[in-house]
Amino acid sequence: MTALEPSTTPGSSAPGGLVKSVVELDRVVIRLAGDSGDGMQLTGNRFTSETASFGNDLSTLPNFPAEIRAPTGTLPGVSSFQLHFADHDIMTPGDAPDVLVAMNPAALKANLADLPGGGLVIVDSDEFTPRNLAKVGYATNPLEDGSLEGWQVVSVALTSMTLEALKDSGLGKKEAERSKNMFTLGLLSWMYHRPTEGTVRFLERQFRRKPEIAAANIAAFRAGYNYGDTTEAFAVSYEIKPAPMAPGRYRNISGNQALALGLVAAGQRSGLPVFLGAYPITPASDILHELSRHKSFGVRTFQAEDEIAGIGAALGASFGGALGITTTSGPGVSLKSEALGLAVMTELPLVVVDVQRGGPSTGLPTKTEQSDLLQAMFGRNGEAPLPVIAPRSPGDCFDAALEAARIALKYRTPVMLLSDGYLANGAEPWAIPSVDELPDLSVDFATEPNGAAADGTPEFLPYLRDPGTLARPWAVPGTSGMQHRIGGLEKADKTGNISYDPANHDLMTRLRQAKVDGIAADIPPTDVDDPDGDARVAVIGWGSTYGPIGAACRRIRRSGRSVAQIHLRHVNPMPADLGEVLRRYDRVVCPEMNLGQLSLLLRARYLVDVQSHTQVRGLPFRAAELAAVVQDVIDSTTPDSTAPTAPTGGTK
């Protein structure tokens, strides 16, 4: 059963004798769109939370305007929230909505092209005034001129009904109007049989210091729910059953929240205090906000005056024996590059989180992109290698943060963690792990001399390396006898003294590179998803393309063709067997939200003719688009003898 093939079951009778049927769907994609002041993100988040508590699998795509406050009712100010939820495992927020809720003409105009013909449009008819229509270039009212005949359109006077519901609340007209998003949430909660208790508790908690506002929002929410139950505008409601999930305790989580909790867990599992030095920047700021709530777990957050101060403070914390972390986006990584080189030279553990966004320069602050990979790999002066890790989903940000901390602490190196805006703001159900299942990240600090001077006196050699990891010892300042030089000038092998010797510089440069290269022996082999084992085409990706690539591969397999999926978490170093794996396939396709950065690295490293497929639209890939691209590659690779043929004697 698909969203386009519902089954209808009898429902209850509404007042007036109208029989309300319940239509069973296996999935639906809803997009809420309105002015940036209409509360679409809050509405979407609440609907998502109730959907998660109901037990559906889900994936979300918030889409923010770049302007801090664009003029009301204009196209640049449109904010949207897309939610895909289902009774089965899903991988993306959906290519296109089945239902569009448009709070004004701008929201309708900005999003209607994405809604397939026959889709449901719910609009706030009160907002379709001549003034608002003129703001976005509508010469006539689309609700009246027949231009929307290709869709199912339901006009609802959301604003006036909200005001009517709150006429005795004591709030002014403008304050009461702000609750229309809760009226909308109530209507959608009725339409899709969502729980309501959690939203009521949330509103009571959110506005506990303003009980009149809490009461107004709850009243609007209940009025919207009751309107859906009693109006003749909606003759059916929809039911999407819970998805089967492994036993466990789940919560709805965004990528930024998961990443922050992963860093908290890393502190607990290492026994180290966690220090975040950060300058606020979209879309990474929520990590700073989340970590600031966890002081009880030994987390200290420092909002620095700029990006350079943020990483400088974090590196200083690492020198002092803490787990140093700094968070930023692409422009901030540019500013931090010199301090990153210092972290490479001093060989101290540091986790650098880059939540990528559209660039260059200020670029698209609220949109997603994967264009910082080459910057993470090479964006420093000199030979300054560091590991690069990329999570693949919002929930996976937790595990990626733990892995970044593990590598940083074990190998005494800065680690770049590449998230992006799609993962950071998107959400999904996340199985809360048992603490006992998390890796042990304990650290042994240097407390005793590890060498001897020429006269035999014991001394501390800060660059005497562990033979297995090539990591140098980590000595906390103030430890007796552990004094050593620190700084950006080249270090002499073992002693750490300043050295300008050419042979020593060559040696130290190669040792730093070998340390990073050696991490490949400490990561899992390449995970290949090739169910039939006979695929001739492989699709490789990294980071947030995992969901769209996976959904595209599922489509292709349902059509009877074979395709393999390879996804990289460790981008530097890559798995030791990756070259061998890639050479098994006749064709390799690499979709990326950049102009082919991973493809460039794979071609250079493994001499494999990787076919790059790219986009830089500020939005994630659509699964249907990727499926079409990969299908074309499969068709051009498969011999004609294996192509499907018409039955003998039949008609074409």
Side-chain angles (χ1 to χ4, degrees):
M1 194 73 62
T2 69
L4 300 178
E5 300 174 351
S7 69
T8 305
T9 57
S12 59
S13 295
L18 178 66
V19 176
K20 298 258 186 174
S21 299
V22 178
V23 177
E24 292 185 8
L25 305 174
D26 71 347
R27 51 166 290 276
V28 71
V29 181
I30 300 174
R31 183 181 297 176
L32 304 164
D35 191 72
S36 57
D38 284 337
M40 293 297 93
Q41 304 304 323
L42 174 62
T43 307
N45 283 324
R46 285 312 314 158
F47 193 86
T48 299
S49 294
E50 298 300 354
T51 296
S53 68
F54 184 76
N56 297 121
D57 195 20
L58 62 90
S59 180
T60 70
L61 177 62
N63 196 354
F64 307 95
E67 288 79 5
I68 293 175
R69 194 67 176 94
T72 302
T74 62
L75 291 173
V78 173
S79 174
S80 68
F81 188 103
Q82 184 162 303
L83 167 66
H84 181 192
F85 59 106
D87 66 1
H88 57 276
D89 173 47
I90 57 174
M91 303 186 75
T92 75
D95 285 359
D98 303 306
V99 180
L100 171 64
V101 179
M103 303 297 281
N104 58 21
L108 179 67
K109 190 165 191 177
N111 292 279
L112 187 62
D114 291 338
L115 186 69
L120 175 62
V121 186
I122 302 172
V123 298
D124 182 359
S125 57
D126 290 330
E127 291 296 319
F128 282 70
T129 63
R131 183 168 182 268
N132 286 345
L133 293 169
K135 284 182 181 180
V136 293
Y138 277 127
T140 58
N141 190 339
L143 303 183
E144 301 170 352
D145 62 11
S147 61
L148 301 180
E149 289 182 354
W151 295 274
Q152 305 173 59
V153 181
V154 178
S155 297
V156 181
L158 293 172
T159 302
S160 57
M161 283 195 289
T162 301
L163 292 175
E164 176 64 21
L166 303 184
K167 64 182 179 181
D168 298 325
S169 67
L171 299 180
K173 181 175 181 291
K174 183 170 288 188
E175 285 183 308
E177 280 185 2
R178 291 175 183 161
S179 297
K180 68 180 179 180
N181 64 325
M182 288 297 106
F183 188 101
T184 306
L185 178 59
L187 173 59
L188 291 173
S189 297
W190 171 81
M191 284 183 65
Y192 293 98
H193 295 234
R194 299 297 92 183
T196 60
E197 297 82 3
T199 294
V200 172
R201 289 195 301 270
F202 167 81
L203 292 171
E204 290 172 341
R205 184 174 65 253
Q206 184 76 4
F207 299 106
R208 60 188 178 277
R209 296 180 181 175
K210 297 180 179 180
E212 70 283 0
I213 300 295
N217 278 284
I218 292 170
F221 174 67
R222 287 173 172 159
Y225 192 98
N226 293 334
Y227 171 75
D229 199 28
T230 58
T231 182
E232 296 187 13
F234 297 95
V236 299
S237 61
Y238 303 92
E239 182 178 16
I240 296 92
K241 296 184 182 299
M245 293 185 179
R249 188 178 181 190
Y250 288 80
R251 62 162 285 183
N252 182 52
I253 200 166
S254 71
N256 275 345
Q257 288 174 326
L259 203 153
L261 293 181
L263 295 172
V264 174
Q268 293 296 296
R269 298 300 288 169
S270 66
L272 301 177
V274 172
F275 180 92
L276 172 69
Y279 181 74
I281 184 171
T282 302
S285 298
D286 282 343
I287 302 173
L288 169 62
H289 302 157
E290 181 66 29
L291 283 175
S292 68
R293 301 187 178 103
H294 299 290
K295 296 176 183 177
S296 60
F297 290 104
V299 178
R300 182 173 297 176
T301 54
F302 167 57
Q303 182 173 317
E305 64 269 29
D306 55 40
E307 294 283 1
I308 299 171
I311 189 173
L315 187 56
S318 292
F319 175 58
L323 174 56
I325 302 159
T326 189
T327 54
T328 189
S329 188
V333 175
S334 301
L335 293 166
K336 296 177 188 291
S337 61
E338 184 177 3
L340 265 172
L342 176 61
V344 172
M345 178 63 79
T346 57
E347 300 189 48
L348 287 168
L350 180 70
V351 176
V352 181
V353 178
D354 176 5
V355 186
Q356 302 165 95
R357 69 190 206 188
S361 187
T362 314
L364 305 175
T366 60
K367 311 301 179 183
T368 194
E369 209 163 274
Q370 287 184 303
S371 51
D372 294 349
L373 176 57
L374 294 183
Q375 178 176 228
M377 290 285 294
F378 308 117
R380 294 162 297 283
N381 65 296
E383 295 287 346
L386 52 79
V388 179
I389 293 171
R392 68 187 191 182
S393 69
D396 188 51
C397 288
F398 177 89
D399 296 311
L402 272 171
E403 177 67 355
R406 182 189 74 85
I407 291 175
L409 294 170
K410 183 174 181 178
Y411 291 89
R412 311 285 196 265
T413 179
V415 177
M416 187 79 76
L417 197 163
L418 292 180
S419 178
D420 62 42
Y422 171 32
L423 296 183
N425 297 315
E428 65 178 358
W430 174 62
I432 301 173
S434 168
V435 174
D436 296 337
E437 298 172 354
L438 302 180
D440 181 2
L441 306 183
S442 349
V443 173
D444 291 325
F445 289 109
T447 58
E448 300 289 340
N450 58 357
D455 61 0
T457 306
E459 69 172 339
F460 174 56
L461 299 175
Y463 282 82
L464 181 67
R465 299 180 183 277
D466 181 287
T469 64
L470 297 182
R472 76 175 188 87
W474 189 6
V476 176
T479 305
S480 177
M482 298 292 106
Q483 297 92 334
H484 59 283
R485 290 180 180 272
I486 201 77
L489 293 173
E490 182 61 280
K491 305 293 181 288
D493 184 32
K494 299 182 179 61
T495 67
N497 295 330
I498 295 171
S499 173
Y500 299 105
D501 178 66
N504 178 79
H505 177 56
D506 185 274
L507 172 65
M508 296 297 280
T509 299
R510 294 179 188 278
L511 282 172
R512 288 188 288 263
Q513 183 67 58
K515 179 172 69 170
V516 173
D517 292 343
I519 296 170
D522 194 22
I523 62 177
T526 304
D527 182 20
V528 182
D529 179 18
D530 186 0
D532 297 328
D534 60 355
R536 301 180 64 192
V537 173
V539 187
I540 187 169
W542 66 281
S544 65
T545 56
Y546 174 77
I549 291 174
C553 289
R554 286 181 179 180
R555 291 182 181 221
I556 291 169
R557 290 164 186 159
R558 284 197 296 268
S559 73
R561 297 297 187 93
S562 294
V563 65
Q565 181 182 4
I566 302 168
H567 209 77
L568 299 180
R569 164 177 282 176
H570 297 88
V571 186
N572 190 45
M574 296 179 187
D577 64 340
L578 181 60
E580 175 189 344
V581 169
L582 294 178
R583 283 186 280 270
R584 295 177 197 163
Y585 298 94
D586 295 340
R587 303 284 291 277
V588 177
V589 183
C590 182
E592 298 179 78
M593 293 188 293
N594 56 47
L595 296 184
Q597 297 184 19
L598 179 61
S599 299
L600 179 70
L601 296 176
L602 294 174
R603 289 175 185 140
R605 185 163 298 178
Y606 302 114
L607 302 181
V608 173
D609 185 18
V610 178
Q611 179 175 327
S612 181
H613 178 71
T614 65
Q615 73 169 38
V616 280
R617 299 187 301 119
L619 294 169
F621 280 106
R622 292 174 175 167
E625 173 197 342
L626 286 183
V629 169
V630 176
Q631 185 66 65
D632 287 344
V633 175
I634 293 173
D635 291 343
S636 67
T637 305
T638 305
D640 293 340
S641 61
T642 65
T645 57
T648 304
T651 58
K652 293 185 180 179

